[in-house]
Amino acid sequence: MIEAIGNTPLIRLKHASEATGCEIYGKAEFMNPGGSVKDRAALAIIKDAFARGALKEGGTVVEGTAGNTGIGLTLVAQAMGCKAVIVVPETQSREKLDFLRMIGADLRLVPAKPYRDPGNYVHVSQRLAQEMGAFWANQFDNTANREGHRHSTAPEIWAQLDGKIDAFTCSCGTGGTLAGVALGLRDLAQKANVKAPEIVLADPEGSGLYGWVKDNDLSVQGSSITEGIGQSRITANLDGSAPDHAERISDSEALEEIFRLTQEEGLSVGGSSGINVASAIRTARRLGPGHHIVTILSDGGARYQSKLFNPEFLKSKNLPTPPWM
Ligand code: PMP
């Protein structure tokens, strides 16, 4: 199972490429065994914990997550003879919660609270790990997360495009994917003696990171129905990664891309992938034709059936609905 994580295909996105005259690619992270990009972080964090002796066979991993990291950690933990206790805000999609229960995670739901509140899921998971004497994965500030992407996702992308990459864009939850891929691609470009690709942060409404990149201002406005992305602080994983540019993408723009990918390209993806593809298209328009741009297809659409593919829910939020429904 461990060996099945990573080495995902890089898929040329037809509409995005044809509309911009660039070659736009999505890394198919929804094909990981746990169904998301977070399998890589889970594997990197658990491997590092084993190497440091912080976790041993028979031990327990505790983590606070929007769901995908919990799924990855539970599966990797079980593959390595451990157990997982997963703390999730109760606002996350029913599909992710059901999946966690289905695979045997010890699931603890908590009310959604801001990070500054001691009842926030991240702080609850830290306290729980301390009380249990268990290993706390700490995906936001444990840089084993971004190191995993630096040494797997980045070299895979580089090899898949033979080093021909002008820009990379993705959204951030922990920032592990964006920062790890940025650091990895910058290392590889330096070794090859070529210009490093531009790193573009893709941010939903209700996140502070766009303002951080543009004006060094982390204040937050608006909100988003996307899950697992958006951040209002500089996590240890993001620290020192310095994106070159940022795009802020609305839910409507992301949904249009998700519906088009489904209907015209047979790719069923979740909300953050829509934000990512919309950002890749904006980046292509800004750079002009002839560029190679890579983004992340973070997870699959089935994880959000009751929200992103539910016309009643979408209408209640004044958002576009899937044209075929
Ligand atoms: N997309 C989805 C669907 C996620 O679950 C997450 C992680 N919470 C991300 C994107 C962001 O990834 P990262 O934590 O590496 O920034």
Side-chain angles (χ1 to χ4, degrees):
M1 180 276 184
I2 300 298
E3 296 289 314
I5 295 173
N7 288 313
T8 52
L10 190 66
I11 301 176
R12 178 179 182 268
L13 304 180
K14 192 167 62 141
H15 160 75
S17 300
E18 285 169 5
T20 59
C22 286
E23 294 297 309
I24 299 184
Y25 301 91
K27 187 95 168 118
E29 293 302 300
F30 58 84
M31 291 179 69
N32 282 306
S36 90
V37 66
K38 300 299 307 203
D39 284 10
R40 293 188 191 257
L43 178 58
I45 287 171
I46 289 186
K47 261 192 178 166
D48 175 67
F50 265 83
R52 289 189 287 115
L55 180 65
K56 293 187 178 70
E57 208 177 324
T60 301
V61 184
V62 181
E63 183 59 323
T65 132
N68 279 333
T69 305
I71 293 170
L73 280 173
T74 303
L75 295 175
V76 173
Q78 289 174 180
M80 295 182 66
C82 298
K83 293 218 163 302
V85 177
I86 303 298
V87 183
V88 185
E90 61 199 4
T91 47
Q92 299 307 293
S93 81
R94 200 180 63 211
E95 291 83 345
K96 282 190 294 192
L97 303 179
D98 285 346
F99 201 103
L100 280 160
R101 289 190 189 101
M102 179 185 85
I103 60 174
D106 178 349
L107 181 63
R108 314 282 176 98
L109 290 181
V110 294
K113 296 266 169 69
Y115 186 74
R116 61 179 182 278
D117 188 307
N120 171 276
Y121 68 106
V122 176
H123 307 312
V124 172
S125 71
Q126 181 177 18
R127 284 197 302 272
L128 194 60
Q130 268 161 359
E131 284 162 22
M132 296 173 63
F135 169 65
W136 182 44
N138 188 17
Q139 58 168 333
F140 292 91
D141 296 311
N142 178 349
T143 52
N145 172 358
R146 78 175 184 195
E147 289 305 308
H149 288 284
R150 185 182 198 156
H151 298 295
S152 73
T153 324
E156 285 172 33
I157 293 170
W158 186 267
Q160 282 166 316
L161 288 180
D162 215 5
K164 289 190 200 66
I165 165 169
D166 300 297
F168 173 80
T169 183
C170 79
S171 46
C172 292
T174 64
T177 311
L178 183 82
V181 171
L183 294 169
L185 290 178
R186 285 171 182 159
D187 292 346
L188 288 158
Q190 194 180 22
K191 258 191 228 145
N193 217 357
V194 296
K195 189 167 162 264
E198 183 180 87
I199 303 301
V200 182
L201 165 90
D203 218 25
E205 304 277 353
S207 171
L209 296 178
Y210 174 85
W212 168 61
V213 175
K214 290 284 184 183
D215 307 313
N216 210 14
D217 170 9
L218 272 165
S219 56
V220 168
Q221 300 151 21
S223 66
S224 170
I225 63 165
T226 59
E227 296 180 22
I229 57 171
Q231 187 52 264
S232 53
R233 70 184 181 97
I234 303 309
T235 62
N237 278 294
L238 271 174
D239 199 21
S241 67
D244 302 298
H245 206 86
E247 295 288 353
R248 178 180 279 154
I249 310 290
S250 69
D251 284 350
S252 324
E253 197 176 337
L255 284 165
E256 299 286 0
E257 295 311 326
I258 291 168
F259 300 152
R260 206 197 305 265
L261 284 168
T262 313
Q263 220 175 9
E264 296 177 17
E265 304 190 43
L267 285 168
S268 177
V269 296
S272 65
S273 304
I275 300 276
N276 290 350
V277 172
S279 171
I281 292 173
R282 287 216 202 152
T283 302
R285 297 220 157 100
R286 185 169 49 78
L287 296 179
H291 292 92
H292 290 72
I293 297 162
V294 175
T295 192
I296 301 284
L297 304 177
S298 327
D299 66 358
R303 214 145 263 191
Y304 309 95
Q305 214 167 337
S306 61
K307 287 186 173 173
L308 304 184
F309 301 91
N310 174 355
E312 280 68 48
F313 173 80
L314 294 166
K315 277 183 207 150
S316 76
K317 303 261 174 200
N318 234 343
L319 289 167
T321 55
W324 64 93
M325 283 179 118

